[in-house]
Amino acid sequence: MKKSINPLNAISPIDGRYQDQTEELSSYSSEFGLIKYRIEIEVKYLLAISKIGVIREINNSEEKILEQTLNDFDLDEAQKIKEIEEETRHDVKAVEYYLINKLSNTSLSDILEFIHFGLTSEDINNLSTRLMLRGALNKVLLQTIESLNNEILNQSKKYKDLPMLARTHGQGAIPTTLGKEFLVFYKRLEKEINILKTYKFAGKLNGAVGNYNALNFAFPRIDWPKFSKDFVSSFGFEVNPTTNQIAPYEDIIFVFQTIQRINGILLDLNQDIWRYISDNWLIQENKKGEIGSSTMPQKINPIMFENSEGNLIIANSLIDGFTNKLSVSRLQRDLSGSTISRNFGLCLAYCLLAYKNCLSGLLRVKANEQKIEEDLNEDWSSLSEAVQIYLKKEGIKNGYELIKNATRGEKIKKEDWLKLLDKLPINSKQREELAKLTPSNYIGIIN
């Protein structure tokens, strides 16, 4: 057996520096995971063709033998398949030979020639790949992204009523609340998460070019399209009845594009949090023993958000490659799509790392309420919108222009703002109403 990789020798940081943070994906998105799913498909296919009379009935004790073969599958057994593959130079055929060897001394020995009967490797691979993706999504990725989104919601609730200055185009705009800005991200993510949670992959089982040629030739009495639909559906997938050799990748592309949208939302969040930390509106926890800079001892750098951002960019770059390639296959099939799909796990690992780092960062920040309030009240021109709209409502001509001329490009203190109101062509009652406005109470309706 080849020696395992020392993390210090790993080419990819996923298997090296970040191994501890991503290893939970390895049960699904790894060579071992793929092989185990292939065995599951082959075993269940053998049982399925037994039920429709292609081979003799497989009895209960034999079902347990097949079930045990799958349950006992571990790294040592996977290595046996890799050794067979070194000779065959074909990964799926190696699985077939492994099962034949494994079951040759059992009561199933008389039907072993029907393992992988009438199928092409892509019948096995398309289902295995989708099982891998679904397992990784449901058991690992979605749990992590939901934990992250729940923390975003917690921050939203915590700071729902904390007024702060909003910025548009990077410039001071009008007041909002910190909690509401977190809520925007929560709602955006919630929509995409729900898409992933309810989405069904689509698979196929229809032979070398999608026409059931071998199966129909050998057993023309069997309704193979119905069998295919029943078999594929048994894994919780939609069936794709019209294909060539490969199952079209549009369903996988859709899932990755949904993940890409999630990543885009989190890129936006990471960059906003980074800016709030830079402005001292958010404060990071000072953990004893940690170092922010090798030369500037005072620093606490926002490294969790920066790490998250970098990993999201890598993941989205991979997704761009997936979506550009996977919809294209020469004629009935070429191998390039298979090569691409072997990197699905790598992409998911970069996503997982990004989600974990963003969550870790959020758990270590709190609002600097004093600084947020100071900056909010530094410039009362943030009330300009309210006043010009009020003037229009009251029928005062050129209200917008009056306020524009008095405020554009200016920073206005509270006392100067009140003086500005005195100069407006309004009566005392109107002025009294406008004077009640402050940057802290002009926050609109917060959901």
Side-chain angles (χ1 to χ4, degrees), residues 319-370:
I319 293 171
D320 282 339
F322 297 163
T323 56
N324 288 336
K325 164 57 196 166
L326 290 176
S327 58
V328 180
S329 179
R330 294 174 184 85
L331 303 180
Q332 282 66 55
R333 194 240 175 149
D334 69 61
L335 196 62
S336 56
S338 176
T339 301
I340 293 288
S341 68
R342 288 183 180 276
N343 289 280
F344 289 166
L346 182 65
C347 178
L348 297 180
Y350 279 115
C351 291
L352 180 63
L353 187 60
Y355 304 161
K356 284 185 173 182
N357 276 289
C358 184
L359 175 58
S360 178
L362 281 176
L363 291 170
R364 294 178 60 172
V365 298
K366 64 179 180 179
N368 185 348
E369 298 190 25
Q370 181 179 346

Side-chain angles (χ1 to χ4, degrees), residues 261-356:
R261 292 194 299 273
I262 287 173
N263 293 351
I265 295 166
L266 290 176
L267 277 168
D268 196 11
L269 174 66
N270 282 322
Q271 291 182 7
D272 280 7
I273 298 296
W274 190 96
R275 176 62 190 266
Y276 294 147
I277 291 171
S278 177
D279 290 339
N280 203 24
W281 288 6
L282 291 177
I283 303 172
Q284 298 177 96
E285 179 185 358
N286 183 8
K287 285 203 170 184
K288 187 176 180 181
E290 289 189 355
I291 293 172
S293 167
S294 64
T295 186
M296 295 170 283
Q298 82 280 8
K299 296 187 71 181
I300 305 176
N301 293 330
I303 57 174
M304 294 294 99
F305 300 106
E306 292 170 339
N307 181 287
S308 179
E309 182 178 343
N311 286 302
L312 290 169
I313 290 170
I314 295 172
N316 280 357
S317 296
L318 287 168
I319 293 171
D320 282 339
F322 297 163
T323 56
N324 288 336
K325 164 57 196 166
L326 290 176
S327 58
V328 180
S329 179
R330 294 174 184 85
L331 303 180
Q332 282 66 55
R333 194 240 175 149
D334 69 61
L335 196 62
S336 56
S338 176
T339 301
I340 293 288
S341 68
R342 288 183 180 276
N343 289 280
F344 289 166
L346 182 65
C347 178
L348 297 180
Y350 279 115
C351 291
L352 180 63
L353 187 60
Y355 304 161
K356 284 185 173 182

Side-chain angles (χ1 to χ4, degrees), residues 90-123:
H90 196 289
D91 48 4
V92 176
K93 202 68 178 175
V95 170
E96 178 186 340
Y97 287 168
Y98 164 82
L99 285 172
I100 290 173
N101 294 337
K102 187 76 175 176
L103 300 171
S104 59
N105 293 322
T106 70
S107 61
L108 293 161
S109 59
D110 62 314
I111 58 172
L112 298 185
E113 287 297 324
F114 285 87
I115 293 174
H116 199 71
F117 180 78
L119 302 182
T120 181
S121 59
E122 190 58 20
D123 287 322

Side-chain angles (χ1 to χ4, degrees), residues 184-417:
V184 170
F185 288 104
Y186 172 79
K187 289 295 185 180
R188 291 170 68 187
L189 286 170
E190 182 183 45
K191 177 182 177 182
E192 304 301 336
I193 290 169
N194 286 335
I195 290 172
L196 284 183
K197 288 172 69 174
T198 58
Y199 189 71
K200 274 191 174 185
F201 288 100
K204 74 100 181 183
L205 188 102
N206 51 20
V209 293
N211 302 341
Y212 311 94
N213 300 52
L215 295 170
N216 186 63
F217 176 74
F219 292 93
R221 63 178 178 79
I222 292 175
D223 185 346
W224 288 107
K226 181 181 183 305
F227 172 84
S228 173
K229 180 178 180 180
D230 292 342
F231 186 75
V232 171
S233 299
S234 71
F235 294 95
F237 298 148
E238 302 285 350
V239 67
N240 197 328
T242 307
T243 76
N244 44 40
Q245 186 173 110
I246 64 170
Y249 283 101
E250 278 73 31
D251 60 324
I252 290 178
I253 290 171
F254 179 84
V255 166
F256 274 111
Q257 287 177 333
T258 304
I259 293 172
Q260 191 173 45
R261 292 194 299 273
I262 287 173
N263 293 351
I265 295 166
L266 290 176
L267 277 168
D268 196 11
L269 174 66
N270 282 322
Q271 291 182 7
D272 280 7
I273 298 296
W274 190 96
R275 176 62 190 266
Y276 294 147
I277 291 171
S278 177
D279 290 339
N280 203 24
W281 288 6
L282 291 177
I283 303 172
Q284 298 177 96
E285 179 185 358
N286 183 8
K287 285 203 170 184
K288 187 176 180 181
E290 289 189 355
I291 293 172
S293 167
S294 64
T295 186
M296 295 170 283
Q298 82 280 8
K299 296 187 71 181
I300 305 176
N301 293 330
I303 57 174
M304 294 294 99
F305 300 106
E306 292 170 339
N307 181 287
S308 179
E309 182 178 343
N311 286 302
L312 290 169
I313 290 170
I314 295 172
N316 280 357
S317 296
L318 287 168
I319 293 171
D320 282 339
F322 297 163
T323 56
N324 288 336
K325 164 57 196 166
L326 290 176
S327 58
V328 180
S329 179
R330 294 174 184 85
L331 303 180
Q332 282 66 55
R333 194 240 175 149
D334 69 61
L335 196 62
S336 56
S338 176
T339 301
I340 293 288
S341 68
R342 288 183 180 276
N343 289 280
F344 289 166
L346 182 65
C347 178
L348 297 180
Y350 279 115
C351 291
L352 180 63
L353 187 60
Y355 304 161
K356 284 185 173 182
N357 276 289
C358 184
L359 175 58
S360 178
L362 281 176
L363 291 170
R364 294 178 60 172
V365 298
K366 64 179 180 179
N368 185 348
E369 298 190 25
Q370 181 179 346
K371 176 63 173 172
I372 291 173
E373 183 180 5
E374 286 176 2
D375 287 354
L376 176 63
N377 287 289
E378 179 71 16
D379 182 8
W380 281 52
S381 69
S382 61
L383 300 175
S384 298
E385 175 196 62
V387 175
Q388 66 92 4
I389 287 293
Y390 181 85
L391 295 179
K392 287 185 176 183
K393 184 194 79 167
E394 295 298 304
I396 297 169
K397 290 185 177 181
N398 300 319
Y400 177 91
E401 287 71 20
L402 284 171
I403 301 302
K404 172 193 161 188
N405 293 334
T407 61
R408 183 173 167 83
E410 300 290 334
K411 280 195 172 183
I412 301 176
K413 300 289 187 180
K414 177 181 179 180
E415 56 272 20
D416 295 324
W417 177 256

